[in-house]
Amino acid sequence: MSSSVPVMMHVATASLAVVEAALDAGYDGLMIDLQHGEVGLEDACAMLRAVPRGNSHLFARPSGLEPGPIGRLLDSGARGIVAPTIETAEQAAQLVAAVKYPPLGRRSLGPSRPGLYSGEDYCAAGNAAVAAVVQIETAAGVDAAGEILAVEGVDAVYIGPADLAVSYGLPGRADWADGPVAEGIEKVAAAARGTGVRLGLYCSDPAFAAAHIRSTGLDFVGMGIDLVFMGKQARATVAALDAALEEQS
């Protein structure tokens, strides 16, 4: 894409065609979502393998911190694991343990995609190539952001504004320009700048995303969900047909 930062689409449908279509449309990368939608572990591994190994913006979001599924996603080519609802430094440490090879973590060495990481020290190369991404999406996570992002091995933080809004008693939506969600985003951004951790944010509106890329210094953006795109276009198509029929009656 022409954006100054990588833009990633959330994929909640178990479909290789959606993966190919999203990248062909110009997205820099993908967020394969095992937490929501219908993507299972086997589906996710196949979808990851459909993307060239050189794509460094290929993330997977499992439903928890279990090292087994995380290891399989990484061995299939995921370049980042996004752990949802991280609220403590201990949870962040669990993520690092599952994502990183020794001595930083406890990821197991085993058969994986050929040539997944290149370098004299395979463990060091793998640790450099793969991102441990904590998702902060609650008020508790915002309050503990400094401690969470200070955990050795945490590479990035991804802010989920809809769940964050719900934790403040607000409607679950993205793109908050003011109020506690906007303040929470700035608190996490400040913690990221203080620790040198990369910062990402989910946005639904391109203009809102552009404003935050400039004002907040985002390093990557999540924008759009395949199921939402399909529903929005389907509703628009049906509405357009109804309008055309009314005009012609």
Side-chain angles (χ1 to χ4, degrees):
M1 295 183 73
S2 58
S3 168
S4 59
V5 304
V7 181
M8 308 168 75
M9 188 173 87
H10 284 235
V11 179
T13 306
S15 169
L16 299 180
V18 169
V19 168
E20 293 175 331
L23 295 175
D24 182 68
Y27 275 87
D28 299 293
L30 304 168
M31 181 89 64
I32 306 297
D33 193 352
L34 291 81
Q35 183 189 20
H36 302 297
E38 59 184 33
V39 179
L41 182 58
E42 299 298 330
D43 301 315
C45 291
M47 294 160 72
L48 290 166
R49 289 176 180 272
V51 180
R53 289 195 303 268
N55 189 319
S56 60
H57 311 300
L58 183 60
F59 290 1
R61 181 168 65 181
S63 58
L65 293 168
E66 293 81 5
I70 288 175
R72 286 201 57 194
L73 292 167
L74 292 170
D75 286 347
S76 294
R79 295 294 293 272
I81 296 296
V82 179
T85 322
I86 297 299
E87 297 182 325
T88 67
E90 289 76 16
Q91 290 173 327
Q94 283 183 261
L95 172 66
V96 172
V99 168
K100 301 292 186 176
Y101 289 122
L104 191 55
R106 296 194 297 271
R107 179 183 172 189
S108 175
L109 282 163
S112 59
R113 293 178 72 174
L116 196 56
Y117 314 121
S118 58
E120 289 187 19
D121 186 322
Y122 188 83
C123 289
N127 286 348
V130 170
V133 186
V134 294
Q135 182 161 6
I136 290 182
E137 50 187 341
T138 65
V142 170
D143 291 341
E147 298 172 10
I148 291 169
L149 303 190
V151 172
E152 184 181 8
V154 170
D155 299 294
V157 56
Y158 186 52
I159 303 172
D163 281 312
L164 182 57
V166 170
S167 77
Y168 288 122
L170 298 169
R173 64 170 176 82
D175 306 340
W176 293 86
D178 52 29
V181 177
E183 293 168 3
I185 290 171
E186 181 49 43
K187 287 179 182 177
V188 175
R193 288 191 289 268
T195 55
V197 168
R198 299 197 300 275
L199 175 67
L201 173 68
Y202 179 81
C203 306
S204 63
D205 178 66
F208 183 87
H212 264 284
I213 288 171
R214 297 188 183 98
S215 65
T216 311
L218 299 179
D219 296 294
F220 62 96
V221 175
M223 193 166 63
I225 305 168
D226 57 347
L227 290 175
V228 174
F229 282 151
M230 185 181 71
K232 182 178 181 180
Q233 184 58 52
R235 287 189 293 272
T237 299
V238 172
L241 175 58
D242 289 342
L245 289 170
E246 287 183 11
E247 290 177 4
Q248 297 172 17
S249 61

